Amino acid sequence: MVALTQFEGDHPLLRLFPALREIDARATETKLVVAACATAVTLATFLLSYLVSFNLPVFRALKTKEKVFWCLSVVRSAFGAVIVVLSGWYWVMDPTLSQDVVKATTQTSFLTASIIVGFFVFEVTALAISDIVFRTFDPALFAHHWLCLVGCSTMCLYYEIGHFFGIQGVILEMTTPFSCLCWVLLKSKMAHTTLWKCNQLFLIHLFHMRTIIEGYMLLMTYRQWDSVMANMPVVVFVLLYTQVVLQFVWLTPYWTYKKTSQFFNPIDFNQSAAEKGTKGAYRGKEGMEHRADKRNDIHIKGN
């Protein structure tokens, strides 16, 4: 069992659930139970959001795909808010994990890692079902979610290392509640309101903050490079730095650009892409029919 650090007495998890002080957070059974509970709570939040939102006229007017995304937005916002509190604790109150970015762990960091894994089990399942049913695919979101699930479960729970990256790094989800609010306001036809504009500006600022945090994580790697090389298994190194580098050089800059563009042109990019694809398919079909008609005309004239 992991001993509580001097900073953990007031941790939000332990204040809300004092019984967690007595369990062995490193035990495999504990990890599985906490992850399963997190998945169940996430699913319940999704279903509850549907039941509550169905009373709203704007929700009932949405297409089925948009209703699903609306409920997913509620779930992601709730997770983002909770996880920022749990992760933020280690940024503001408890420096334990940053003292050794590879080997440092705490009782609450194991619990937080299990919660993260449980959420992403729901996320990748929902994403896969949504992509199959609605015939969509977002490579950036797909890569992000699967790397988070595989990386956190492998690094933080199986090898029990890298909690600095897994637990403090998940504060990058601070953008999620505001990104989801952006979409919900957009669908509520409030894209030109002061609320939407303020939310969008704050969201863009948070994406810039993400870049700073990702750079700091790379800096901590450089400062503790000897420990990383000596104590981190190759598979964990590959998973971790694939995720960190992808976010630093591709995902975060891409999302920052998209949200900045959206501020000046408030549209739903996913819907626009789908409509563009539909129009392209229609034009392609129309062109094929036109060419077929032309060949028939030539054939008739030849006869």
Side-chain angles (χ1 to χ4, degrees):
M1 180 173 177
V2 182
L4 294 178
T5 69
Q6 60 177 317
F7 305 99
E8 285 190 286
D10 293 326
H11 191 281
L13 273 178
L14 301 186
R15 288 174 67 91
L16 287 172
F17 307 103
L20 294 178
R21 299 171 185 268
E22 307 302 326
I23 68 172
D24 184 2
R26 290 186 62 180
T28 301
E29 181 181 357
T30 302
K31 296 173 186 175
L32 292 175
V33 169
V34 174
C37 288
T39 303
V41 169
T42 306
L43 177 59
T45 304
F46 176 85
L47 297 175
L48 181 62
S49 69
Y50 180 85
L51 294 175
V52 173
S53 299
F54 199 77
N55 295 316
L56 302 174
V58 65
F59 180 80
R60 294 195 298 270
L62 297 175
K63 299 176 182 177
T64 302
K65 176 183 175 182
E66 293 173 331
K67 290 178 181 177
V68 171
F69 195 83
W70 177 294
C71 296
L72 286 176
S73 295
V74 174
V75 170
R76 291 165 181 167
S77 296
F79 169 77
V82 170
I83 212 63
V84 162
V85 173
L86 300 182
S87 177
W89 174 266
Y90 290 99
W91 285 95
V92 179
M93 302 298 294
D94 190 346
T96 303
L97 299 182
S98 60
Q99 292 172 359
D100 188 329
V101 298
V102 181
K103 295 188 294 183
T105 61
T106 68
Q107 173 87 340
T108 50
S109 71
F110 276 107
L111 295 172
T112 304
S114 299
I115 292 171
I116 294 170
V117 168
F119 168 77
F120 277 107
V121 166
F122 170 84
E123 267 292 303
V124 298
T125 304
L127 185 64
I129 294 173
S130 176
D131 285 348
I132 292 171
V133 172
F134 300 115
R135 297 181 181 181
T136 58
F137 181 68
D138 185 340
L141 194 62
F142 180 87
H144 171 62
H145 285 181
W146 274 102
L147 283 171
C148 284
L149 174 60
V150 176
C152 190
S153 58
T154 302
M155 177 176 65
C156 296
L157 298 184
Y158 182 76
Y159 285 101
E160 299 184 348
I161 61 174
H163 282 212
F164 167 79
F165 298 102
I167 309 308
Q168 290 195 217
V170 80
I171 202 170
L172 297 175
E173 294 295 327
M174 62 187 174
T175 57
T176 302
F178 302 97
S179 183
C180 293
L181 178 60
C182 159
W183 187 87
V184 169
L185 291 175
L186 198 63
K187 289 301 174 181
S188 301
K189 303 186 185 304
M190 298 176 64
H192 297 287
T193 63
T194 301
L195 174 60
W196 188 87
K197 292 177 181 179
C198 290
N199 178 78
Q200 196 74 359
L201 284 174
F202 189 62
L203 177 59
I204 294 168
H205 173 69
L206 287 180
F207 271 112
H208 288 300
M209 290 296 295
R210 279 179 61 123
T211 302
I212 295 172
I213 293 172
E214 290 157 1
Y216 175 74
M217 294 171 70
L218 292 173
L219 176 62
M220 291 297 288
T221 299
Y222 171 76
R223 287 178 174 175
Q224 301 188 33
W225 183 251
D226 291 341
S227 177
V228 171
M229 288 291 96
N231 301 302
M232 187 174 287
V234 174
V235 63
V236 175
F237 183 91
V238 172
L239 285 172
L240 172 63
Y241 289 102
T242 297
Q243 169 79 345
V244 173
V245 172
L246 273 179
Q247 290 199 158
F248 188 63
V249 303
W250 173 38
L251 294 178
T252 298
Y254 171 72
W255 286 329
T256 304
Y257 161 74
K258 294 288 281 186
K259 290 303 176 183
T260 304
S261 301
Q262 194 177 44
F263 177 78
F264 297 101
N265 183 25
I267 60 172
D268 180 1
F269 290 110
N270 295 326
Q271 182 178 354
S272 298
E275 289 176 351
K276 184 177 180 181
T278 302
K279 289 179 181 178
Y282 173 76
R283 288 170 182 169
K285 181 180 179 181
E286 189 180 50
M288 292 174 64
E289 292 174 347
H290 175 73
R291 287 192 294 272
D293 291 342
K294 189 173 182 180
R295 285 195 298 268
N296 290 335
D297 290 342
I298 295 173
H299 178 71
I300 291 173
K301 290 178 181 178
N303 290 337

